[in-house]
Amino acid sequence: MHFLFLPAYSPDLNPIEGGFLCVKSWLQLNHAYVLSEMEGRACDLYALIWEAVYTTIMPKKVYGWYRHSEYIV
């Protein structure tokens, strides 16, 4: 059995932080679109967030985040 000791928690080494950053930046860059969608009666915030997720988070980026965090050797 081989134990792998992980570093102390650091947001810089947590892969999900890269995903949050991508979604947040998409929402900021498309703020006019987001605001116009939110003003409508049938506003679906979950659909907006999923659109941001599917638009910005790609497998190559996810692999890079895990590689940067040293979870993939």
Side-chain angles (χ1 to χ4, degrees), residues 43-58:
C43 174
D44 188 3
L45 292 177
Y46 290 113
L48 278 174
I49 293 172
W50 281 115
E51 183 178 353
V53 168
Y54 290 134
T55 304
T56 60
I57 298 178
M58 301 295 160

Side-chain angles (χ1 to χ4, degrees), residues 14-68:
N14 191 349
I16 195 68
E17 298 294 334
F20 291 150
L21 180 66
C22 281
V23 171
K24 187 172 131 181
S25 65
W26 185 91
L27 292 172
Q28 290 173 346
L29 288 172
N30 297 299
H31 68 278
Y33 169 69
V34 172
L35 289 176
S36 68
E37 288 291 317
M38 289 175 58
E39 289 175 353
R41 288 188 115 171
C43 174
D44 188 3
L45 292 177
Y46 290 113
L48 278 174
I49 293 172
W50 281 115
E51 183 178 353
V53 168
Y54 290 134
T55 304
T56 60
I57 298 178
M58 301 295 160
K60 193 173 187 176
K61 286 184 180 180
V62 174
Y63 180 80
W65 298 328
Y66 274 92
R67 187 114 174 117
H68 173 72

Side-chain angles (χ1 to χ4, degrees), residues 1-5:
M1 180 180 283
H2 177 73
F3 289 103
L4 177 64
F5 293 99

Side-chain angles (χ1 to χ4, degrees), residues 6-10 13:
L6 298 176
Y9 176 78
S10 171
L13 298 176

